[in-house]
Amino acid sequence: MIHTESEALYKEACKMMPGGVNSPVRAFKNVGTTPVFIDHAKGDKIYDVDGNEYIDYVCSWGPNILGAARDEVINAVKAACERGLTYGAPTKKESELAKLVIKATGFVEVLRLVNSGTEAVMSAIRAARGYTGRDLVLKFNGCYHGHSDGMLVKAGSGLLTNAEPDSAGVPKAYSDCTLVCEYNSLEEVSGIFEKYGENIACIIVEPVAANMGVVPPKPGYLQGLKDICEKYGALLVFDEVITGFRLALGGAAQYYGVTPDLVTYGKIVGGGMPLAVYGGREEIMRKVSPDGSVYQAGTLSGNPIAVTAGIETLKLLTENPDIYTEIDRKTAVLEKAYRQSTDFTVNRVGSLMSVFFTTGDVYDYPTVARSDTARFAEYFKFMLEHGIYSAPSQFEAMFVSCAHSDEDIERTCEVVRQYFSK
Ligand code: KE4
């Protein structure tokens, strides 16, 4: 494949934007090659500026569960644009989207629309703190919840200690309010709650971790977190920005049968537009301004264009439940091809999957960290050059959409077999 136009555009972009991108992972730094610049996408295909065609397993990091540029969504958004892009005032459509989320999840009673997963998480944590009157938040090593200061932290030096900043520009005062445990260890969580329980506002967790590659919860783990929260009067927050409306219409909460106190959604709920949600139990959400004293606001929150994309996407998912069995079946075909081609560890939950360039169980960040990232980079480049566009990092997930044809899945399996038989 030639990449001359991408290389030229990348050089120019780097002069004006950090890393030439508007989100770091897109810079392909983890795989040591020039990012491809995208011209357009349709269905399960994505096309770069040099005219190369790829089967897309990034799906914009999750939103494109229906494939890119789904006709019904595009047509509805086009019509909505004619009526104005934003009003900064309430609209009927926001209530229509809220009804779809409340019906789909079955446990969300009150919610607020915001513009990004980061904003949804930041706001949910503030609501949890406002409701409990407590300051501390517990998160898990390897889980990512957007770039609000308190979430950009890493485990402190000793066990059961406060976190440390994991980014320049995050004051220690912020990281002091965050605690970090290893994912999938209830023992560590119990220990931390014995020490800090009375001042922990909430646990925030990816019910299926997908930001260290795909790491499923061990049996009983999510329910165990809920039980510990109930014992100490803390709230359980599911960050379902990735899993929401993907693992099932009701997300991981439905898939695992565990109901959190608060939940965040992003990506799919906006149909590819900047829209995210936080919500949950009414008594908690009534704390949010203007009903309550927890302030949160946004100029473009619930704007009619993003809401239209979200409504059309959720309507299609609600009206076509077989989409979930289809994307699960297709991803299982991919999983089988990997498992038959390599001893490397494959984790899959529904239409989320990762191949880790290590062997043995991968169930938390330390076991993920055993992966050979240099070997992953070589695999990534081989796949890209053979027309398969997957995440440029060992620590991301593969996403499958209902637009992925059986032929394209089979073609991908062929390239997988080719790579691992080299
Ligand atoms: P955004 O602020 O990027 O919309 O959402 C943040 C976020 C929150 N919670 C979870 C579980 C997430 O996965 C994310 C964002 N996911 C990454 C992909 N791993 C977005 C891609 C990127 O950062 O460019």
Side-chain angles (χ1 to χ4, degrees):
M1 284 183 175
I2 58 149
H3 299 290
T4 20
E5 186 58 16
S6 280
E7 283 154 7
L9 286 171
Y10 180 57
K11 201 163 166 225
E12 178 191 44
C14 285
K15 292 178 192 143
M16 301 178 285
M17 295 170 277
V21 293
N22 287 299
S23 199
V25 71
R26 304 177 190 171
F28 280 22
K29 293 278 187 226
N30 294 329
V31 290
T33 187
T34 304
V36 292
F37 277 57
I38 301 305
D39 179 71
H40 67 285
K42 181 71 178 173
D44 69 348
K45 297 289 189 332
I46 198 161
Y47 303 85
D48 72 17
V49 291
D50 289 289
N52 300 309
E53 176 187 286
Y54 307 91
I55 302 171
D56 178 16
Y57 290 97
V58 177
C59 297
S60 184
W61 307 96
N64 294 344
I65 191 170
L66 299 174
R70 173 81 182 231
D71 289 345
E72 296 91 328
V73 178
I74 297 296
N75 294 337
V77 165
K78 278 180 179 172
C81 287
E82 302 292 333
R83 305 168 65 87
L85 301 181
T86 177
Y87 318 126
T91 64
K92 185 177 161 192
K93 282 187 170 182
E94 289 155 91
S95 299
E96 189 181 341
L97 181 55
K99 274 182 215 158
L100 283 165
V101 172
I102 288 166
K103 188 164 181 291
T105 61
F107 68 90
V108 172
E109 296 170 331
V110 174
L111 59 86
R112 170 63 60 81
L113 306 181
V114 292
N115 301 281
S116 70
T118 293
E119 194 182 354
V121 166
M122 184 171 66
S123 309
I125 286 172
R126 189 177 307 132
R129 285 172 164 152
Y131 176 77
T132 60
R134 300 176 179 183
D135 294 342
L136 299 185
V137 171
L138 171 60
K139 77 173 288 287
F140 298 95
N141 196 9
C143 286
Y144 176 68
H145 303 288
H147 64 88
S148 57
D149 287 326
M151 291 293 103
L152 292 181
V153 299
K154 60 189 171 200
S157 42
L159 203 56
L160 307 189
T161 58
N162 297 88
E164 293 165 5
D166 197 17
S167 163
V170 173
K172 192 167 178 326
Y174 282 74
S175 57
D176 280 348
C177 285
T178 309
L179 301 163
V180 181
C181 283
E182 290 305 344
Y183 193 74
N184 268 325
S185 165
L186 285 173
E187 195 183 329
E188 274 198 34
V189 175
S190 301
I192 262 215
F193 268 80
E194 275 161 30
K195 189 170 177 185
Y196 299 101
E198 304 313 322
N199 195 23
I200 296 178
C202 67
I203 290 178
I204 182 155
V205 65
E206 288 183 64
V208 173
N211 284 286
M212 51 174 143
V214 177
V215 176
K218 286 182 178 175
Y221 178 65
L222 298 177
Q223 186 58 50
L225 294 178
K226 182 166 181 171
D227 296 344
I228 292 169
C229 284
E230 283 174 355
K231 179 178 172 186
Y232 287 89
L235 301 182
L236 179 60
V237 183
F238 274 5
D239 179 352
E240 293 222 41
V241 166
I242 283 187
T243 54
F245 308 100
R246 175 164 286 279
L247 296 189
L249 192 59
Q254 175 187 331
Y255 192 87
Y256 291 103
V258 177
T259 303
D261 298 295
L262 290 175
V263 63
T264 57
Y265 300 114
K267 300 180 192 276
I268 290 173
V269 74
M273 295 292 285
L275 184 149
V277 175
Y278 72 103
R281 283 175 29 214
E282 176 152 13
E283 61 181 322
I284 303 169
M285 289 301 292
R286 289 295 175 206
K287 282 283 184 186
V288 176
S289 174
D291 287 350
S293 55
V294 175
Y295 193 71
Q296 179 267 313
T299 303
L300 295 175
S301 295
N303 77 76
I305 311 308
V307 167
T308 297
I311 288 169
E312 289 310 313
T313 299
L314 261 56
K315 271 168 54 180
L316 283 164
L317 291 171
T318 304
E319 291 158 12
N320 299 281
D322 57 331
I323 284 175
Y324 291 103
T325 39
E326 266 301 281
I327 58 180
D328 184 71
R329 176 185 66 78
K330 290 174 177 177
T331 317
V333 171
L334 272 180
E335 176 190 19
K336 189 174 169 203
Y338 278 99
R339 289 187 184 283
Q340 287 177 341
S341 307
T342 172
D343 294 335
F344 285 147
T345 302
V346 181
N347 283 352
R348 176 176 79 87
V349 182
S351 60
L352 286 174
M353 189 174 77
S354 290
V355 56
F356 292 95
F357 281 61
T358 183
T359 53
D361 286 352
V362 172
Y363 56 85
D364 62 7
Y365 188 72
T367 46
V368 163
R370 292 195 315 233
S371 303
D372 178 345
T373 50
R375 183 82 194 275
F376 175 87
E378 189 228 7
Y379 151 82
F380 169 82
K381 284 179 270 194
F382 180 92
M383 300 298 279
L384 191 72
E385 288 307 304
H386 288 76
I388 309 299
Y389 186 79
S390 53
S393 164
Q394 169 70 88
F395 309 110
E396 298 288 352
M398 285 178 80
F399 295 88
V400 174
S401 81
C402 65
H404 280 79
S405 65
D406 288 325
E407 295 70 31
D408 286 339
I409 294 283
E410 187 39 46
R411 161 135 180 69
T412 310
C413 294
E414 192 38 51
V415 178
V416 168
R417 286 189 281 268
Q418 228 180 308
Y419 173 74
F420 286 107
S421 63
K422 281 195 320 161

